[in-house]
Each structure stands twice: as structure tokens, then as C-alpha cells.
Amino acid sequence: MKGTIKLALAGSPNVGKSTIFNALTGGRAWVGNWPGVTVEKKVGVMKLNGYKVEVVDLPGIYSLTAYSIDELIARNFIIEERPDVVVVIVSAINLERSLYLAVSLLELGVNLIVALNMVDLAEREGYVVDVKKLEALLRVPVVPTIAIKGIGIDKLKNIIIQSISNPRRNPAIVDYGDPIEKAISRLCSFMKTHTPEVVHTYHPRWLAIKLLENDRDVVEKVKLLPKGDLLINMANEMRKELESVVGDLEVYMVNQRYAKILEIVDKVVRRVRVKGISVSELLDTVLLDKFLGLPITITSIYLMLYFAYNVSLPLVDLVDALFSSLADYTRLILQDKAPLLASLLADGIITGVGTVLVFTPMIAIFYILVAILEDVGYMARVVFVLDKVLHRFMLPGKAIVPLILGFACNVPAVLSARTIEDENDRKTVIMICPLSTCSARLPVYLIIASAIFGTYAALAITSMYVLSIIFALVIGFLFKSFIFKGPSIGFIMELPPYLMPQSRTVLIKTWERTKRFLTKAGTVILAAAILVWLLSITGPKGLIGPEALEDPALLKASWVGAIGRALQPIFTPMGWDWGATIALFFGFMAKEVVVSTMAMVYGAEETSLGRAILAHFSPLSAYAYMIFVLLYVPCVATMAVIRSEIGLKYAVLTIMYQMVLAYLASLAVMFIGMILGLG
Amino acid sequence: MTDPIKLSEAEVGKAYEVIKVEGPALIRRRIMDMGIIPGAKIKVLRLAPLLDPIEILVRGVPLSIRRAEAQYIIVRETS
């Protein structure tokens, strides 16, 4: 072993960064968070010629400014952790823009390798990139790759080995012109003589440029260093002088960088034939059509949900059967020897964990579909088509993915909000995610609606979905208007060319996401299941025993019963009895548990539950109950992920606003119904 | 020479040249980092079915941008 090498992988979205990451590391990655923030950090390991290379996947970024959290993370990682090699992925079909990131990295003074990806697509578009010339102009190695076919990866690995012993840097890639270059070198020599500590941390030229640009993060950090304020004052004065010559310095610097890039692109791109119309353009004329665009988008979302629900149904039943037979078996062997333990395992842990795990097949299938749509490039189009609706409610376009996912399960929905850049937007979206009516709520609607509304059942259920969307949007709007104000970040998104989905990328993505669902949901569920079980078999008068879970009269005497009876008066206006109230309490675990609890409390089998419901609810109180189930509290697993994503404070806030909202909404249903004489 | 207009008022199918990028520092920098800087050529490809956002072609790359941000980009029609 020759030692450990730290390699950072940088690139904009849609350049094939994750494909290259998987190709280098074999797809196995340790996934965690960057310190202090919930931006995902992926680290993989690659064995190379006796070196152990630690590959760190930087967030997908376009630039290295201090304006976005992702860019700051990438930048600070490079400054603080000093990776031995940085590989930047540059897209051959998007050369100008992706070279901007490469140039920014060069200025940072890193040992850089350029992976020029998607060279095949460039040829399809009718041009070739002269790699040798590009290498000569950038003065760092350039490796052409077609990552999805694995082409160029071995060459890239070779170049990585070479660059370990022979680092190549080119921080002065851009010449900013006479007055600015003079200012930069004056600042650099000042640093060397007066503030050597600064030079220790930062590359002097880069720091001089950032100080002239008045980069807020750099200014703040330099201020804390000895004599840092001297340096800042000097830069500020220079900026004033320079701006009287060239105008806004930040704009000028960006212009100079792009001018340099254009000069490079001009020299290295050779058009081999006239550009024809591409498949992507052709597809977009249909998929984004003025009239067809919206129906196509809504149909595809609907099909995705339909497919995920139906294809997973047998698998969901299978997992369900697996858990109930496991519970039965546990009871069978332990019942006589240790009845309490048998009940804890069977009724508490196995049943409780099972109620959540039954959703795994559906979530996995949903994830596969989402990953395919992302890989193909259609997800960006869905955002493009529906953005206006979300924008009207002050929400980011990217909120669409979490809200759609929420229809399957709120846990992955909350987790998928990570792609939203702005912190305020992300908090808002996470907090409205539980309003997406997840698949666990469907059985509750089904059993109540079919028992009470007869032929109008389908209408009642559909109305839940419509209300779910309306509530999510309106509440989101209220959050953005009153709580998470702050500036909204510019919504500029690339519409990448359509590509064939890669089974490897899709499966890796699906596996990572499903695994996250299982670990996040699984851990809390266990504790919650035990707690609910304990509250059911004990009461104010002490131990009741596992029989309480089968006998409604005994359950009434348990803590759960006590809570139900204590809370029941609150629900008197809605006309719900203590049984209906208790069912809601158990619904904390997972909403579909409401059904089985009602069956138990009303002493009915799941098949005869309809008649029991008819006896305990009026049509109005039943509809109010459905609305309450739609809106009240996220399930335990969702609460846990909200907490781990944005903190306890917001998790509590979510629970509280949902309780209030659910109560008011169901009360409103009763009130309006009474006025209309439906009571 | 045509008069400068905001990109949010530009017409589908026409080509423009960027004259100036305005707006709050954060939005302006984001726009510029995407390559939308003075001198850059922009073609308006289409409007979303609900008329916002708009799809533009900048440096060979199709981008989606909300009208709210497009209003900060001052352009002039080119033939």
C-alpha cells in the first residue's frame, strides 16, 4: 500500500457525474451529510496501483461562488481538505458552460484532471472536440470519456495515477487585463510579506481575485485572520479604483472568464457537419407542446402512481402475509411459556414493524420509476410544465417530485426534498410533504367510503386526493408568506437532452434511496411499536395483559382507552365515539392501522367492518373523519425523517399545525354540512 | 437597431443578444454563472404550456427560466 489519496469529483448537474462516480468506485459508497448541513455527501473507495483512493463526490454545481450552499460546500472542501487530485467532468455537448466550472477550479489552484464526457453525443450533434488542443490550452490533462458505456474510464484511472506524482495546476488560466492583474499581484505580494497565515490557507491569486470580487464568505473568513482587515481594506480601495475604469468588478470578472472560455472553445471545436434537428428537440416539440404538454405530464404522473400501486400490490400482500405468519408463529411457540413476551414480539414488534415494511415494495418500485424518469431527462420537463402552478404558491418547481412521491409514502418524499437548493424552500416543502395523501391512507378512505357513500364512494375518495393537493399548495403558500420569507433563489434549470436510462444507475439510485427509507423508518418504528403496545396492555390500574388487544372492553381500561376517552369530548362536534378516537391514536404508527384498530374496537372482522362503521358514523361525520385522517399528524416514520432533515423544532411545528388544520377542517365539514341540512 | 427589452417580454422563435443583467446580487450572479452575460446570444425556444417559465437556448444549452428572473435580463433582438 502506497498510502491514501484524496480525490474530489466535481461537475455540473447532467454531465454524468454519478455515472463516473459509480464507474470509479464500483457503485459502493458511504452516504452521509456534509458537516452542519443536510446536503448529501457520497464517498467511495477505489484501489488503484497500490494506492487507496478516496473518491469524494462534490455537490453538482455550475460555479464556485458563495451564493449557494452547494457551491460553498464544494469550495470549502477543496480549501480545507486539500484533495490531492480533483477530477472535473466537462460535458462535450455543453462545453462553454461546463468549462466555466473547470476554469473556476483551476483558479482555485487545484491539481486538476478534466474528464470530457459525452463525446459521442457531441459527434451526433455534428462536431468534434480537439482533445490535444484543449489539453494544451488548459495546461492540465484532458481525458475523453463516454461514461455510460464505460469508455475512457481506464484511461482516466491511468491519468489519476500519473497526476499523483506529477501534479498539474494552472491558477493563472484567465488574464484579467492590465489594471486588474496589477492589483492582483500587489495583493499577492502584500499577503506574502504581511499575512503569511492567509497564504497558508488560500491560494494567493485566488484569494486576491475573491477579495476584489468582494466574495462575502472569503471576506468574513479573512477578517478573522491576523492582519486580515488590512488586506480587506486594501482590496476594497483597489476595487473602488478599478470599478471607475471597468464598471462592476464582479460582472467584469465573469465576463473575462467567459471571454477566455469562448476563445478556447473556438480553437478546439470543429464542426464536421451541419447540425440537424436532434431527437431531443423533436420529442420536446410534442412533450412540451402548448396544448399537449399539460395533459401528457399529468397522464404520466398518473400512470406512474397507477403502475406503482398496482404492480406492487401482490408484493405488498406477500410482505404482509410474511409478517402476520411470523407473528402467528411467534405466538404459537411462546404463548404458553411466556405470554407477555409472545405478545410483545408478535403484537408489538413484529406487527408494528410489519405495518411499515409492507410499503417497501411499493416504495422501491416508485423509486425505480422516478430514477428512470430522472435518468431519461423527463423529470426536468415535468418541473418545467408544472412550475407555474407551484410558482403561484411561492413554491420552487422542484417541489413537484417530493409531492408526487408523497402519494406513495411521505418518508421518501421528505428525503427527496434534498434537491431543493434554497433552505427556506426546502423547509417549506418538507413541512407540506405529509399533506400528500400517502398510500397508507387509501385503505382508510376505501373502507369508510364504501361503507357509507355507496355509489358515491369513488367521488369521496377522489375528493381526498384533490383536497390533498389543494391543502399542500395553500399551506405551502402560507408558510412561504409568513414563516420562511427570505429571498427566493433564481429558478434556472437545465433541460438536459433525453438519454436512454442506464439500468446500473437506476438500480444503484433505487437501492440507496430504499436503504435510506428502511434505516430511517425502521429504527423509530421499533420504539413506537413497543410504546403503543405497552400503553395498550397497561392502564391506570396496572397491568391488564395482552388480552386487551383483543377485547374492546379491556382495551377501554388501558392507557390507550383512557387517552381515547379523555380526548373524545374534543371530537363531540364531529360525532366520533371513543373507538374512532382510539383508532386515530393508533394511526400515529401508520395511517392504515386506523382500519385494523376500528375493526378491533368495534368487535368486527375486517370483512364486516363496513356494517360496524355504518352504525357508528353518519355520512357527514364519516366524511369529516376521512378529512381528519388525510390531514392529522405525519406517521411516526415521517416525523422521524422530518426531524433528522430539518430538526426537532420543525418536526414539532409540523405535528402541531397538522393537528390544528385537521381539527378545523373536519369541524368546517360538519358546520357546512349542518347548514346545508346534511347532518 | 431595435430597442432593448426584458427577456420576459421576448418572443418565441426570435434571437436576442444580452445587453445587461440586473437584479439582486444573488440572482444576478446565478444568471451570469449560467453563461447569460452581456454579449451572449439567446434564442427563445418555447413557453411552458402554462406560459411560464420560458425555455431559452444559451450557449447551445436549453434552459428553463421563470419570467420573474427573466425580467432582469435586458436583451436586444438580433436578426
Side-chain angles (χ1 to χ4, degrees):
Chain A
M1 224 34 174
K2 294 181 198 164
T4 307
I5 297 297
K6 208 180 276 176
L7 181 147
L9 201 59
S12 309
N14 308 310
V15 296
K17 186 158 67 73
S18 53
T19 318
I20 289 193
F21 180 86
N22 291 338
L24 291 178
T25 61
R28 280 178 302 277
W30 174 83
V31 183
N33 282 348
W34 291 92
V37 286
T38 44
V39 178
E40 191 173 286
K41 181 184 185 182
K42 261 166 76 174
V43 183
V45 170
M46 152 173 74
K47 292 271 185 326
L48 208 58
N49 247 26
Y51 288 106
K52 181 185 164 208
V53 184
E54 210 179 85
V55 184
V56 178
D57 191 17
L58 297 177
I61 47 176
Y62 294 106
S63 165
L64 286 173
T65 61
Y67 290 109
S68 97
I69 186 88
D70 285 359
E71 293 178 16
L72 266 181
I73 288 170
R75 191 167 102 172
N76 289 337
F77 176 80
I78 290 167
I79 293 168
E80 285 154 22
E81 305 278 321
R82 299 181 171 271
D84 304 282
V85 190
V86 177
V87 174
V88 64
I89 296 139
V90 163
S91 157
I93 52 167
N94 192 344
L95 205 53
E96 285 179 39
R97 242 246 334 274
S98 48
L99 275 177
Y100 189 83
L101 180 63
V103 165
S104 307
L105 284 164
L106 281 174
E107 288 196 314
L108 202 48
V110 300
N111 175 22
L112 194 73
I113 297 170
V114 173
L116 181 69
N117 198 20
M118 306 192 181
V119 283
D120 54 334
L121 292 183
E123 271 168 47
R124 206 196 286 167
E125 298 239 321
Y127 60 87
V128 284
V129 180
D130 187 331
V131 173
K132 282 276 155 287
K133 228 180 234 173
L134 184 58
E135 216 161 38
L137 290 166
L138 294 174
R139 290 171 44 205
V140 292
V142 177
V143 186
T145 57
I146 307 170
I148 53 171
K149 292 183 189 150
I151 296 173
I153 299 298
D154 287 337
K155 174 97 186 288
L156 180 60
K157 288 180 178 171
N158 283 333
I159 300 288
I160 291 170
I161 297 170
Q162 285 172 28
S163 79
I164 292 168
S165 49
N166 177 27
R168 304 269 292 275
R169 302 167 206 274
N170 182 16
I173 171 99
V174 183
D175 181 348
Y176 290 99
D178 199 31
I180 285 129
E181 285 298 333
K182 265 196 194 125
I184 293 172
S185 49
R186 267 179 62 205
L187 281 169
C188 286
S189 56
F190 181 88
M191 283 176 221
K192 272 170 204 145
T193 43
H194 298 286
T195 60
E197 300 84 358
V198 173
V199 184
H200 202 72
T201 323
Y202 299 98
H203 190 282
R205 182 182 166 86
W206 181 79
L207 185 63
I209 292 170
K210 290 294 132 180
L211 288 175
L212 287 174
E213 284 184 335
N214 201 14
D215 181 287
R216 57 181 183 194
D217 185 60
V218 166
V219 169
E220 257 166 50
K221 283 182 179 155
V222 170
K223 227 183 247 170
L224 302 176
L225 296 170
K227 288 202 206 156
D229 44 347
L230 272 177
L231 193 59
I232 292 167
N233 288 341
M234 190 174 159
N236 285 346
E237 267 168 42
M238 285 175 165
R239 184 179 332 105
K240 258 181 237 148
E241 241 171 76
L242 292 171
E243 290 200 327
S244 65
V245 185
V246 298
D248 187 310
L249 205 51
E250 203 185 352
V251 176
Y252 177 82
M253 307 291 259
V254 178
N255 275 333
Q256 289 301 105
R257 265 173 228 134
Y258 264 110
K260 176 70 190 181
I261 289 163
L262 277 176
E263 190 192 306
I264 294 174
V265 170
D266 238 25
K267 285 181 188 155
V268 300
V269 170
R270 195 160 44 89
R271 193 153 274 293
V272 286
R273 59 182 166 76
V274 182
K275 183 181 182 302
I277 189 155
S278 71
V279 182
S280 284
E281 284 165 42
L282 217 59
L283 275 171
D284 272 346
T285 53
V286 180
L287 296 176
L288 300 180
D289 180 79
K290 223 186 308 183
F291 303 108
L292 295 176
L294 199 56
I296 290 177
T297 306
I298 292 171
T299 311
S300 29
I301 294 173
Y302 176 77
L303 284 177
M304 191 163 82
L305 288 165
Y306 184 84
F307 189 80
Y309 276 149
N310 285 285
V311 171
S312 64
L313 211 57
L315 288 169
V316 168
D317 288 342
L318 184 73
V319 177
D320 196 18
L322 224 63
F323 272 97
S324 50
S325 40
L326 187 64
D328 287 343
Y329 185 68
T330 312
R331 254 183 235 116
L332 194 72
I333 49 170
L334 284 174
Q335 189 68 284
D336 301 327
K337 289 169 231 155
L340 208 57
L341 180 67
S343 174
L344 170 66
L345 288 175
D347 304 322
I349 295 171
I350 296 172
T351 311
V353 173
T355 50
V356 175
L357 291 193
V358 289
F359 296 109
T360 316
M362 185 177 60
I363 286 162
I365 288 175
F366 218 78
Y367 270 153
I368 290 176
L369 295 174
V370 170
I372 289 174
L373 288 189
E374 281 173 351
D375 234 33
V376 168
Y378 186 65
M379 224 36 157
R381 269 79 182 178
V382 172
V383 174
F384 179 68
V385 169
L386 296 177
D387 180 62
K388 169 107 182 257
V389 180
L390 292 147
H391 189 197
R392 178 124 318 157
F393 290 93
M394 291 172 74
L395 295 169
K398 284 185 182 167
I400 198 74
V401 180
L403 292 178
I404 295 173
L405 267 175
F407 285 123
C409 174
N410 293 165
V411 175
V414 169
L415 292 171
S416 71
R418 287 186 172 191
T419 54
I420 296 165
E421 298 97 352
D422 183 75
E423 196 59 20
N424 279 330
D425 282 348
R426 206 166 66 88
K427 281 183 185 143
T428 308
V429 172
I430 286 178
M431 289 179 64
I432 60 173
C433 271
L435 297 175
S436 265
T437 174
C438 65
S439 58
R441 280 167 249 191
L442 186 59
V444 188
Y445 306 150
L446 271 173
I447 196 99
I448 297 178
S450 52
I452 305 262
F453 300 110
T455 47
Y456 295 106
L459 191 65
I461 294 169
T462 310
S463 74
M464 288 301 126
Y465 281 79
V466 176
L467 283 172
S468 159
I469 296 165
I470 293 174
F471 274 116
L473 292 174
V474 171
I475 298 294
F477 178 75
L478 293 177
F479 276 146
K480 277 294 284 178
S481 320
F482 296 109
I483 302 177
F484 301 115
K485 279 183 261 184
S488 182
I489 203 140
F491 171 75
I492 304 175
M493 182 190 62
E494 198 182 322
L495 294 168
Y498 292 102
L499 294 173
M500 285 302 284
Q502 297 298 310
S503 55
R504 192 180 154 83
T505 332
V506 167
L507 290 177
I508 289 175
K509 253 188 198 173
T510 306
W511 167 237
E512 275 171 5
R513 290 169 174 175
T514 312
K515 199 170 69 182
R516 211 181 315 150
F517 163 77
L518 288 175
T519 48
K520 296 258 163 157
T523 39
V524 240
I525 273 301
L526 189 66
I530 295 173
L531 182 71
V532 169
W533 174 80
L534 212 58
L535 290 176
S536 315
I537 63 151
T538 57
K541 288 189 189 117
L543 185 71
I544 301 170
E547 300 77 39
L549 292 167
E550 274 139 47
D551 185 345
L554 286 176
L555 186 65
K556 208 169 180 172
S558 71
W559 283 113
V560 170
I563 295 169
R565 274 175 295 131
L567 290 178
Q568 194 274 328
I570 307 174
F571 299 117
T572 320
M574 287 79 141
W576 306 336
D577 56 14
W578 77 274
T581 312
I582 284 189
L584 290 174
F585 182 80
F586 280 97
F588 275 77
M589 288 282 294
K591 303 275 172 94
E592 96 278 17
V593 177
V594 168
V595 175
S596 53
T597 312
M598 268 207 249
M600 194 263 288
V601 174
Y602 293 147
E605 291 297 313
E606 294 213 5
T607 41
S608 62
L609 183 57
R611 252 171 292 133
I613 287 174
L614 205 53
H616 286 85
F617 287 93
S618 75
L620 200 54
S621 74
Y623 194 70
Y625 196 77
M626 283 166 72
I627 297 229
F628 198 87
V629 170
L630 162 66
L631 299 172
Y632 91 113
V633 299
C635 68
V636 185
T638 310
M639 284 180 209
V641 282
I642 294 177
R643 183 177 163 243
S644 72
E645 291 294 299
I646 53 175
L648 183 63
K649 191 175 109 192
Y650 294 108
V652 173
L653 190 62
T654 308
I655 296 168
M656 297 208 311
Y657 97 75
Q658 282 201 264
M659 293 263 220
V660 173
L661 181 67
Y663 190 78
L664 293 180
S666 47
L667 200 61
V669 167
M670 297 306 292
F671 188 69
I672 294 167
M674 299 285 191
I675 290 177
L676 296 177
L678 299 171
Chain B
M1 218 44 157
T2 53
D3 288 333
I5 55 163
K6 293 173 179 171
L7 181 64
S8 51
E9 292 156 2
E11 283 172 53
V12 174
K14 288 193 173 162
Y16 298 86
E17 184 181 321
V18 178
I19 296 173
K20 198 163 61 169
V21 181
E22 299 173 333
L26 183 130
I27 294 176
R28 190 182 64 178
R29 183 61 192 251
R30 169 114 309 188
I31 292 172
M32 292 198 307
D33 281 337
M34 301 299 275
I36 305 171
I37 55 169
K41 306 265 187 291
I42 290 184
K43 194 178 168 199
V44 181
L45 294 180
R46 64 168 59 80
L47 307 179
L50 299 171
L51 308 179
D52 188 21
I54 56 181
E55 185 185 348
I56 57 175
L57 189 73
V58 186
R59 303 179 188 274
V61 183
L63 297 177
S64 151
I65 181 169
R66 281 178 172 175
R67 283 172 190 276
E69 274 87 42
Q71 64 166 340
Y72 295 125
I73 304 167
I74 309 299
V75 294
R76 178 180 284 144
E77 197 184 325
T78 56
S79 42

